[in-house]
Amino acid sequence: MNNPMNRKRHFEETLEMFAEYTAAAATTAHAGRNSLAMTNIRKMLLTFAVTLMGLAAVVFVSLVYPGTPSKSKVMTFEGFIELPRRGLLTVLDYLTVNDQTLFVTSESSGALFKIAFDSSDLRASTVSEMPGAGAAHGVALVPELNVAFITRSEANTVDVFDPKSLQQLASIPVADDADAIFYIPSAKLVYIAHGDATMATLIDPEKRATVGNIQLPGKPEFPAIDSGSGLLFQNLKDTNEVAAIDVGHRSVIGQWPLAPCEGPSGMAIDSEQRRLFAVCSGNAKLVVFDLESHRVITTLGVGGGPDSVAFDRTLHRIYTAGKAGEMTVVQQDGPDNYRVLDRVHTHYGAHTLTVDPVSHRVFVAYASLIAHPRIAVFSPTR
């Protein structure tokens, strides 16, 4: 597949050429509309139109045809798992993995896909689907109750379902823009982040009812739990900060800047080494934040438009994915030492991923135009 950065460069060069042609046209017309010059201008405009159409065709093909990810020295591409197609465009959102099962939400159709893996042959994995109304975003599993919860932003609900049968059990009304969702075992509560409403909702999974709200000092994106302190950390996209939340007391107890991060989106935590990892959608960076000193200690460049980050605690690897179609692989050599191992080109719009802590496989969700949506499966090269 063509490198997305090359397509961007070709597009910029085409725009520069068009600007030069426009300037030439203005100068020539002012000089007297010389007929020969006008003929040349028409030829240049025709050339521009043909170039633009050719570029559009290349971009269209790259969006439709997913292609094979680029070769990697640290990751092995195992193949794709195709999902059912609903409409011309499919945009997938969060992925949640648990015990050989992967749950994938569709923001465009509202569907939830459940993939039961065949560990010996990925192509033999089974895919089942739960339809739904309203853009689907996150899934939270509560194993001890055999229930799960899914956020729907357009419907402003959190739906309760059976993760085995995918049967819907209840629907809980919540505030606007329900997005990321997280189950907190220590508190026995489900936490939902609402971006536009700048707040969080707390749901009792046993009662299947809202039991509290937390007003936030900015627009939340993704939360993560620090098992060391028991605090929930919530990034704030519009203020470029991270907040610490005491869920039990329903309060924000700390708030710190993530500069130079712009537009923090995905987040993960290494509780053992007291580090928080946040990707920044506004300036394509990964920042490492010290949970004790409450400051950013290092910054790395990652693929454009990063939306999610996952941390493999065993291998000490960090994975990021973004809308530009790049999975960046980062090695943690120590609490304060990080290096980029590779940049794997995937597909434009493949902006979410997750890692299985048991098999260490990485799953990347591909957006699709006309073609079937799919999940790309990678395994680390030891």
Side-chain angles (χ1 to χ4, degrees), residues 95-175:
L95 298 89
T96 306
V97 65
N98 180 64
D99 191 24
Q100 293 293 308
T101 304
L102 180 69
F103 294 91
V104 186
T105 58
S106 173
E107 186 175 347
S108 51
S109 71
L112 170 69
F113 302 109
K114 175 185 175 181
I115 303 171
F117 291 109
D118 185 318
S119 57
S120 60
D121 184 4
L122 283 176
R123 292 171 295 182
S125 302
T126 60
V127 179
S128 49
E129 178 181 1
M130 181 181 78
H137 297 289
V139 170
L141 304 171
V142 186
E144 59 264 35
L145 298 177
N146 191 34
V147 294
F149 298 78
I150 181 172
T151 52
R152 299 190 179 281
S153 60
E154 294 172 350
N156 296 328
T157 63
V158 172
D159 291 345
V160 189
F161 67 96
D162 183 328
K164 292 183 179 178
S165 66
L166 296 185
Q167 177 184 357
Q168 183 170 324
L169 305 173
S171 186
I172 306 169
V174 293

Side-chain angles (χ1 to χ4, degrees), residues 11-209:
F11 183 69
E12 291 173 347
E13 290 173 352
T14 303
L15 289 180
E16 291 174 1
M17 183 175 66
F18 178 67
E20 293 173 359
Y21 289 170
T22 304
T27 302
T28 306
H30 183 72
R33 301 182 181 273
N34 183 281
S35 59
L36 180 59
M38 291 303 294
T39 300
N40 290 337
I41 290 171
R42 284 194 293 270
K43 289 181 179 179
M44 287 190 292
L45 291 175
L46 179 60
T47 301
F48 168 75
V50 171
T51 302
L52 190 60
M53 286 188 292
L55 178 61
V58 170
V59 171
F60 179 78
V61 170
S62 68
L63 289 174
V64 171
Y65 180 63
T68 302
S70 62
K71 296 290 185 180
S72 172
K73 54 192 175 184
V74 297
M75 303 296 292
T76 299
F77 173 59
E78 295 189 35
F80 291 114
I81 298 175
E82 280 197 0
L83 304 177
R85 181 168 65 89
R86 299 288 179 265
L88 293 177
L89 176 66
T90 302
V91 179
L92 303 176
D93 209 353
Y94 296 117
L95 298 89
T96 306
V97 65
N98 180 64
D99 191 24
Q100 293 293 308
T101 304
L102 180 69
F103 294 91
V104 186
T105 58
S106 173
E107 186 175 347
S108 51
S109 71
L112 170 69
F113 302 109
K114 175 185 175 181
I115 303 171
F117 291 109
D118 185 318
S119 57
S120 60
D121 184 4
L122 283 176
R123 292 171 295 182
S125 302
T126 60
V127 179
S128 49
E129 178 181 1
M130 181 181 78
H137 297 289
V139 170
L141 304 171
V142 186
E144 59 264 35
L145 298 177
N146 191 34
V147 294
F149 298 78
I150 181 172
T151 52
R152 299 190 179 281
S153 60
E154 294 172 350
N156 296 328
T157 63
V158 172
D159 291 345
V160 189
F161 67 96
D162 183 328
K164 292 183 179 178
S165 66
L166 296 185
Q167 177 184 357
Q168 183 170 324
L169 305 173
S171 186
I172 306 169
V174 293
D176 290 348
D177 197 22
D179 190 6
I181 185 169
F182 200 88
Y183 175 56
I184 309 171
S186 60
K188 296 189 182 302
L189 291 171
V190 176
Y191 173 98
I192 299 99
H194 303 265
D196 291 342
T198 64
M199 61 173 285
T201 296
L202 298 176
I203 289 177
D204 183 322
E206 190 168 7
K207 296 178 180 178
R208 301 175 188 175

